[in-house]
Amino acid sequence: MDLSTGQPRPVSRHWRVTGWLLAAVWLFFLNVPLATALHQPAPWRRLVGVAALVAFSVGYVLLFQWARKLRQSLLPIPVGRARAGLLLLFAVGLASMPGTGGDWLATLVYVAAAAVFLLPLGESLAVVVLCAVTPVLTSELVAGWEAEHGIVFAVLLASFAMFGVSQLAQRNSELRAAQQEIGRLAVAEERARAARDLHDILGHSLTVVAIKAELAGRLLDVDRERAAAEIAEVEALARTALADVRQTVGAYREVSLAAELAGARSALAAAGIAADVSTEVPELPQQWDQLFGWAVREGVTNVVRHSGARCCVIRVHPDRVEVSDDGRGPSTPEPSGHGLVGLRERARRLDAAVTVGWRPEGDGFLLRVHAPEDAR
């Protein structure tokens, strides 16, 4: 979730493609009704059977992707729309009957699996039972149709497997929500701390300044010398308050690599992310120590808030620092944000380079800050 807008962050292209494959790969098992439709002697039966199966496949994949996108965005699945989608999916599968005959029953496997992924537990169980008993009932009611016990077994097996997938998706959604809440609370706590410090610094000084300014205004026509003295004190108080603010802001902006590494371990542990952090830190000039500290802070902040990672690796070398994770990776070819913009500005002052993108392994996110050749 983007904390600046409050909206869920877009899912990376890698995970979108994976989602399509997860839904589409199981359509291979529609090969039996498809073969039956293609071997129909009547052209209209072939057309109806193939068209209905293609429409069924597209509808199943779209329905699965719709539900998956809602889960990833931490949004509830509308039960009414889910019911309508399942009913339409069942109707399209039933419409293939002129071309597929009794083999249309294979579509019930997908209807049952989709119900488990979309509907509450009680309703999905009812749909699974109906899909399981339909092959048995049709063999009794339709002359020439044999009992499809293989379909019954497939319905139960697919439903059980989809139940495991849906539970895993639910746990992942809860974990992402917890990580986003941790990030939000960390930002809120930092803002509250800054507000408290600034209130303590400025509250008393500004109150005294206001009182003395009001007094000086009343004394202008009565005692100009005392009014001038009060105004001089107001000026002194204002300068003191300004110095205190600058000192406080400077304290916020002072960053050391050792402190940021320690904070990174704490933040990653709080977010439930395994931390692999360099234990030996080389001695660095002050400017590089601060820059590498900023890089660790920005990298770990992004890992905790946005990555969905299970592990974060931080490596510090004499000429570079690297923060990488095994999460979903960058959502755009050129990731940007307020933190990265600030980090690039600090690196530019030292002629250092900032690299962001995919890890060399092909997944996850990598942030690297490295010194120029003449500083190595």
Side-chain angles (χ1 to χ4, degrees), residues 90 110 151 168 286 323:
F90 173 77
Y110 299 90
I151 297 295
L168 179 61
Q286 182 180 4
V323 181

Side-chain angles (χ1 to χ4, degrees), residues 35-253:
T36 301
L38 291 174
H39 287 85
Q40 289 290 342
W44 74 271
R45 290 184 180 274
R46 287 199 301 270
L47 179 61
V48 170
V50 172
L53 289 175
V54 171
F56 181 88
S57 301
V58 173
Y60 173 77
V61 172
L62 292 177
L63 196 61
F64 182 86
Q65 279 295 95
W66 170 69
R68 184 171 178 269
K69 183 178 180 181
L70 288 176
R71 287 180 180 271
Q72 289 176 333
S73 300
L74 308 178
L75 298 174
I77 297 176
V79 178
R81 294 184 182 181
R83 292 170 184 163
L86 286 172
L87 186 60
L88 181 61
L89 195 67
F90 173 77
V92 174
L94 190 63
S96 70
M97 190 185 303
T100 59
D103 290 333
W104 80 274
L105 293 169
T107 62
L108 295 177
V109 178
Y110 299 90
V111 173
V116 172
F117 196 71
L118 294 171
L119 297 178
L121 182 59
E123 293 187 33
S124 63
L125 182 60
V127 174
V128 170
V129 171
L130 289 175
C131 291
V133 301
T134 297
V136 179
L137 292 177
T138 53
S139 66
E140 298 292 334
L141 299 176
V142 180
W145 283 13
E146 297 181 359
E148 296 285 349
H149 297 294
I151 297 295
V152 176
F153 176 75
V155 166
L156 297 177
L157 182 62
S159 301
F160 181 77
M162 185 58 75
F163 177 76
V165 171
S166 63
Q167 291 300 303
L168 179 61
Q170 180 66 25
R171 297 296 178 269
N172 287 340
S173 297
E174 293 173 355
L175 178 59
R176 291 182 62 217
Q179 291 173 339
Q180 292 174 4
E181 182 66 11
I182 289 172
R184 187 190 66 79
L185 291 176
V187 172
E189 176 61 25
E190 183 65 17
R191 288 173 177 171
R193 184 169 75 91
R196 288 194 299 268
D197 290 349
L198 289 176
H199 177 272
D200 292 342
I201 292 169
L202 296 178
H204 174 73
S205 298
L206 292 181
T207 299
V208 176
V209 165
I211 293 175
K212 286 187 171 293
E214 181 181 359
L215 177 60
R218 292 200 302 265
L219 291 174
L220 278 176
D221 297 329
V222 179
D223 190 343
R224 288 184 173 273
E225 292 185 1
R226 186 178 174 188
E230 295 292 342
I231 292 176
E233 290 188 19
V234 167
E235 180 183 0
L237 284 170
R239 293 184 182 277
T240 301
L242 181 59
D244 289 340
V245 170
R246 286 173 175 170
Q247 183 178 2
T248 302
V249 173
Y252 280 131
R253 298 180 65 86

